[in-house]
Amino acid sequence: MSTTATPDHPLARRTRQHFVAELTRRLGEVGAAVKERLTQALEQVSSVREMQERRDAWTLFQSHGRAWEEAVAAAWQRAARADPAAVPSKPVPPVLELTLVGDDVVENKILASRMALALRERVGGPLAELCVRVQQLDKSDELPPDDVLRPETLMLLLVEQWLATRLPRASLLLAVEAVQRELAAHLLDACNSCEALLVSAGVQTDGETKYRVRLTQVSPAAMGQAQAHRDAPTGQDALDSMLPDPGRRGPNTAQPLAQDDGQRNRHLADGQMVAAMSPLARARRRAQGVLGQLRRVLSEQTAGIFESTAKQELTPTLAVALQRSQSMVDPDMLIGDTESGGGVAYTQASVVRVAGVLRERSNELKKKASTDGEKATIEIVALMFQSILAEERIPAAVRVWFARLQLPVLRVALAEPEFFGTLNHPARQLIDRMGSCALGFDAHAIGGSALEAEIRRVVQVIEQYPETGRRVFQLVYDEFQKFLSKYLTEKGAASKVVSVAQQVEQKETLAIQYTIELRNMLKDMPVRDEVREFLFKVWAEVLAMAAVRKGPQDEETVAFKRSAADLVWAASAKPNRADRARVIQSLPALLQRLRQGMTLLGLTSPAQEVHIKRISDTLADAFMSKTEAIPQARIDMMAQRLANLEDFVSDESMGDLPLDADSIELMLGIDASSIDVIPDAGAKPSEAMVAWAHELQLGHWFTLDHNQKISQVQLAWRSERKQLFLFAAMDGRSTLIQAKRLAAYLQAGLLIPQEEEALTLRATRQALEKLDANPGRLLAV
């Protein structure tokens, strides 16, 4: 018999309230995700009517989204403080539970149930463990039906508040995936935080409670299955204990749950996937959390001014003050420290002096500001640049140039509240990219370098066009990206390695694609297996090598392509004398071209002779064959298709590429002793890690641990298909690594980014910490 108890244990009540507090603290990020999804939906329409509906949904959420967040927070908090009614110890017959309810109530419960199920699938294990600990405190077998720890309760309140704030159900359906995805991450954090609270209080799960499964209203077969799960010592049981029983409708469940073990395995796998979230996903979540917190701070202090994404007009007084500041160049912003040799260098003292100038300038501008929004923006930007100038890992010369961007960035932030809401604003992206590239250089290495010159040029261009806002930032950001692609690979050995790596990837990709096309051409032709094997394993490589080295339409490459068709014809049956005479006449030239191709591929003479003997034996057998000959028209069609083979291959990734130092030396004949080549070698990283590897940014610095040697390396290049990555060290050595092995190194901690978060994000977080310590400074003048 199932028992429940009113959750009156002080620690259980405190846990529920802590759980809700953790979730409500992140509702701003959920709202931001909804806003982003509704914005994306505007670009994915197929009719005028649909466009209007989605525009209405977007507009309504702009005006009511904040109210919805507050209403959900209040509803969840009330539920956490309330004492849910105890469930009767004996199940009430279903017929007695029938009541008349409105369609809206039914639809709310259906939608909430589906959302709750999605959350359970993503955060199964940690939530199950938390529920077990709380049940142990309450001395109950199950949670009350309206317990706030149940996702069904949370989602029903969320849906009800959506409609209560006059937001249409259709717009929630449009954004439901974003809500589920964002809430799953925060739900996991809340579970972990509550677990830590309970463990610190000495609460542990006992062996019996952990494996309990609710048995009420379950068929005999399902009861037997539950008993089997209870007796089986598997890690999956902790998850099963919090899932509705197979074949039973839960209190808010729209349809029976699947009864197969596959679904439970999916629950477990998804829960583990979220628990083992990749660093890339965690970084994005952390970034959204910081930006969400910033938006809340600004909105609370400025009466919601920053909820709008529309362009803002400056008040006249501040506009004049900004214009005056832009035209005045403070000498302290330009003067460096004189070196012993008479030159000028920027040192830490230069940065301190510049930081003082910027703080004084910000104070003067705040005095000219006419609204709380302007004052808050000026203070936030000032605090961000204080943090950037304090980043001692960036050379002082670069930080001094960054200081001159504070005023242009302030102009953009005042005009575009979006600057505070996304990491993709070009002003943020530009500072982040320049900062990450300069991170690994010391003052000596950066001084007079092309990188310093480019950063100086970028800043000067922005200063020349102060009125253009984000457009000039976008322009110079794109230019800086192009500069990086050349700058990082133009030095010495790196340029050679990049050239080789590009050709290696191109050659191996073409070889795979040529093999596929040859298989397609020969699938209906009576061709001997020996010839097929030679064409697929050797000649496709020859064609790819020739195409890369000489070009796909070079005379020699075209001749090699024609040789493939000639070989197929020569190895087919020759029932008449004229064909046999033609083969005998053309055979020496054909074999000579085959040898030339294998020489280009780097095969040794003994290896070549093995292939030539096998082909010669096959041709001799063709003379004696009585089978049907291949029509000349088909041979001509094959030759024509081979001549234009590149028109038929795709650009899709062809999987793993063979890679080693010998391949590199073979391609261009260079000495590969200064290159560490790290092939995939059967590496099997998680998909999340592969995705992270593909999103690494050029110019970022890493700590690489390879063969007991630790070095600081910079990502200098990645191939077009993201199969190969080149890292360059300050000592001139290069490391060429394939995508899967790179992901495995990231997963094992053998390659660690030197920056865990972007420069402007870190600056934003530190600004918030200062405001948290002293909230009054945001609007103080």
Side-chain angles (χ1 to χ4, degrees):
M1 183 170 64
S2 171
T3 61
T4 56
T6 302
D8 55 359
H9 192 286
L11 184 55
R13 183 181 298 110
R14 180 183 168 197
T15 300
R16 288 178 170 90
Q17 292 174 353
H18 181 74
F19 179 77
V20 166
E22 287 294 302
L23 288 178
T24 55
R25 188 169 59 87
R26 313 296 287 274
L27 275 172
E29 297 165 47
V30 178
V34 172
K35 186 182 298 183
E36 182 179 358
R37 175 66 190 99
L38 294 178
T39 302
Q40 293 172 351
L42 288 174
E43 304 171 358
Q44 303 169 350
V45 294
S46 56
S47 66
V48 175
R49 179 180 178 181
E50 191 176 17
M51 168 67 83
Q52 185 61 50
E53 290 175 349
R54 294 191 176 185
R55 185 182 293 114
D56 291 344
W58 183 89
T59 303
L60 278 172
F61 192 80
Q62 296 297 315
S63 57
H64 293 75
R66 180 66 178 173
W68 169 69
E69 294 171 20
E70 293 173 349
V72 171
W76 284 355
Q77 289 164 356
R78 286 194 300 271
R81 291 193 297 268
D83 287 339
V87 176
S89 59
K90 185 175 181 179
V92 177
V95 69
L96 300 180
E97 295 178 344
L98 294 176
T99 57
L100 290 175
V101 295
D103 290 344
D104 287 346
V105 175
V106 174
E107 290 180 5
N108 288 353
K109 289 190 174 184
I110 291 174
L111 179 55
S113 176
R114 290 173 178 169
M115 295 174 71
L117 181 58
L119 291 179
R120 286 190 185 276
E121 288 178 344
R122 289 172 168 164
V123 201
L127 181 59
E129 187 69 18
L130 175 61
C131 291
V132 167
R133 293 185 192 274
V134 173
Q135 286 172 227
Q136 186 175 339
L137 289 173
D138 287 337
K139 296 181 172 56
S140 66
D141 288 347
E142 60 177 308
L143 297 174
D146 294 330
D147 198 297
V148 76
L149 294 179
R150 290 182 178 271
E152 292 84 1
T153 301
L154 293 173
M155 293 302 96
L156 183 58
L157 292 172
L158 182 147
V159 172
E160 289 174 345
Q161 297 311 311
W162 182 278
L163 300 175
T165 49
R166 293 184 293 175
L167 290 168
R169 189 189 308 276
S171 60
L172 178 56
L173 293 174
L174 196 61
V176 70
E177 288 291 338
V179 173
Q180 291 168 180
R181 182 178 62 252
E182 196 70 27
L183 273 177
H186 304 326
L187 194 63
L188 178 65
D189 288 342
C191 289
N192 292 336
S193 180
C194 289
E195 284 286 335
L197 173 68
L198 290 171
V199 170
S200 66
V203 178
Q204 302 292 338
T205 54
D206 58 57
E208 180 183 356
T209 306
K210 187 168 183 176
Y211 300 115
R212 287 178 185 169
V213 180
R214 182 181 178 183
L215 301 179
T216 57
Q217 297 183 355
V218 185
S219 65
M223 291 180 66
Q225 187 179 34
Q227 180 65 42
H229 277 297
R230 189 161 56 242
D231 295 338
T234 65
Q236 184 176 321
D237 292 338
L239 178 62
D240 288 341
S241 67
M242 51 75 68
L243 290 174
D245 292 322
R248 175 179 59 81
R249 292 179 184 266
N252 290 322
T253 304
Q255 54 188 0
L257 298 177
Q259 299 186 30
D260 61 291
D261 289 337
Q263 181 170 4
R264 279 190 296 278
N265 290 335
R266 257 191 332 271
H267 281 252
L268 182 62
D270 289 346
Q272 291 172 339
M273 180 182 68
V274 176
M277 188 175 293
S278 73
L280 177 65
R282 286 199 299 271
R284 285 175 173 167
R285 254 186 45 226
R286 187 165 56 243
Q288 290 301 321
V290 171
L291 295 181
Q293 184 182 355
L294 175 61
R295 287 194 300 271
R296 285 195 296 275
V297 169
L298 291 174
S299 296
E300 289 168 359
Q301 295 291 331
T302 60
I305 292 174
F306 291 89
E307 288 298 309
S308 172
T309 58
K311 188 176 179 65
Q312 304 292 310
E313 295 295 333
L314 296 180
T315 56
T317 305
L318 182 58
V320 171
L322 279 172
Q323 186 64 36
R324 185 180 298 113
S325 295
Q326 187 72 46
S327 61
M328 295 171 56
V329 179
D330 195 300
D332 285 336
M333 297 286 285
L334 302 175
I335 297 175
D337 298 297
T338 303
E339 294 181 316
S340 57
V344 176
Y346 291 104
T347 64
Q348 182 61 27
S350 308
V351 176
V352 171
R353 186 165 53 246
V354 168
V357 172
L358 290 180
R359 185 67 260 185
E360 292 176 5
R361 181 179 293 175
S362 297
N363 291 340
E364 291 299 319
L365 288 174
K366 283 185 77 174
K367 293 177 182 178
K368 302 295 184 181
S370 303
T371 67
D372 287 347
E374 290 177 342
K375 293 175 185 177
T377 300
I378 294 169
E379 184 64 27
I380 290 287
V381 172
L383 291 176
M384 288 176 61
F385 272 84
Q386 277 186 15
S387 173
I388 291 171
L389 294 183
E391 179 52 83
E392 295 186 356
R393 294 180 300 168
I394 299 176
V398 175
R399 282 183 280 160
V400 169
W401 285 106
F402 278 180
R404 293 173 61 170
L405 289 177
Q406 178 170 331
L407 198 58
V409 168
L410 175 59
R411 280 183 170 274
V412 169
L414 286 166
E416 304 175 23
E418 180 192 359
F419 174 81
F420 293 118
T422 176
L423 293 177
N424 296 326
H425 194 284
R428 281 184 177 271
Q429 290 178 315
L430 176 67
I431 296 172
D432 289 341
R433 297 293 283 122
M434 294 194 300
S436 63
C437 291
L439 200 65
F441 292 95
D442 56 25
H444 176 74
I446 197 74
S449 69
L451 178 59
E452 183 193 22
E454 176 64 11
I455 291 174
R456 180 171 64 248
R457 185 196 71 83
V458 164
V459 173
Q460 290 172 341
V461 169
I462 292 172
E463 288 180 326
Q464 289 174 9
Y465 301 97
E467 304 296 335
T468 56
R470 70 182 293 148
R471 285 182 297 165
V472 68
F473 280 99
Q474 186 67 61
L475 173 66
V476 295
Y477 173 66
D478 293 339
E479 292 176 349
F480 187 75
Q481 294 279 69
K482 293 176 183 177
F483 161 81
L484 273 185
S485 63
K486 295 180 180 179
Y487 166 74
L488 295 172
T489 58
E490 68 183 2
K491 294 172 288 187
S495 61
K496 284 187 176 181
V497 175
V498 167
S499 176
V500 174
Q502 286 174 327
Q503 293 189 48
V504 167
E505 182 184 59
Q506 185 182 4
K507 177 256 180 184
E508 298 298 345
T509 303
L510 283 175
I512 295 170
Q513 293 174 329
Y514 285 173
T515 301
I516 293 172
E517 284 303 312
L518 284 170
R519 288 183 185 277
N520 291 335
M521 292 179 198
L522 300 182
K523 64 182 178 181
D524 296 328
M525 289 188 185
V527 179
R528 293 280 295 269
D529 290 341
E530 294 85 352
V531 174
R532 289 178 183 272
E533 183 178 4
F534 177 79
L535 289 173
F536 298 158
K537 295 185 177 180
V538 178
W539 207 245
E541 297 272 346
V542 170
L543 296 180
M545 181 71 81
V548 170
R549 282 197 172 183
K550 302 177 180 297
Q553 294 303 320
D554 179 81
E555 182 179 349
E556 186 172 1
T557 306
V558 172
F560 287 150
K561 292 177 179 178
R562 179 68 207 189
S563 297
D566 291 344
L567 177 59
V568 170
W569 178 80
S572 64
K574 298 294 178 288
N576 62 70
R577 182 177 300 176
D579 286 341
R580 290 197 292 270
R582 180 181 162 193
V583 169
I584 293 172
Q585 183 180 2
S586 62
L587 185 58
L590 174 60
L591 295 178
Q592 180 61 27
R593 284 198 301 275
L594 296 183
R595 285 192 174 93
Q596 289 175 353
M598 290 187 286
T599 300
L600 179 66
L601 199 59
L603 295 185
T604 62
S605 294
Q608 292 184 29
E609 290 306 317
V610 170
H611 289 298
I612 291 296
K613 183 179 185 307
R614 188 175 299 150
I615 290 171
S616 298
D617 292 344
T618 302
L619 295 178
D621 289 344
F623 274 75
M624 308 299 294
S625 175
K626 301 299 182 181
T627 59
E628 183 181 357
I630 299 176
Q632 185 63 44
R634 294 202 65 179
I635 297 296
D636 292 341
M637 184 181 300
M638 177 181 176
Q640 182 179 2
R641 188 176 178 91
L642 281 167
N644 299 284
L645 195 56
E646 292 71 33
D647 296 339
F648 302 100
V649 298
S650 68
D651 279 336
E652 296 180 1
S653 173
M654 292 291 110
D656 300 339
L657 302 178
L659 177 67
D660 53 37
D662 293 338
S663 299
I664 294 174
E665 291 186 4
L666 173 64
M667 289 297 294
L668 285 186
I670 70 170
D671 179 13
S673 60
S674 64
I675 307 169
D676 290 323
V677 179
I678 310 178
D680 279 347
K684 296 181 179 179
S686 66
E687 292 184 6
M689 287 296 174
V690 174
W692 184 22
H694 286 167
E695 295 200 28
L696 296 182
Q697 295 293 312
L698 294 181
H700 281 204
W701 286 85
F702 300 81
T703 299
L704 173 65
D705 183 353
H706 177 59
N707 291 345
Q708 291 79 51
K709 181 181 179 181
I710 297 177
S711 54
Q712 310 304 312
V713 296
Q714 187 178 31
L715 179 56
W717 172 84
R718 66 166 171 250
S719 64
E720 182 180 354
R721 294 176 176 84
K722 296 184 179 181
Q723 291 272 356
L724 303 174
F725 294 76
L726 179 68
F727 293 85
M730 295 294 287
D731 61 4
R733 288 195 63 82
S734 300
T735 301
L736 187 63
I737 182 169
Q738 284 188 269
K740 285 189 177 179
R741 195 71 178 276
L742 172 60
Y745 267 47
L746 288 168
Q747 187 166 314
L750 297 176
L751 185 71
I752 302 174
Q754 292 192 2
E755 267 194 311
E756 291 188 356
E757 56 186 351
L759 181 60
T760 59
L761 178 64
R762 185 162 59 251
T764 302
R765 179 173 51 77
Q766 292 173 352
L768 286 170
E769 290 171 357
K770 293 177 181 178
L771 290 174
D772 186 55
N774 180 17
R777 73 179 297 166
L778 185 66
L779 303 180
V781 294

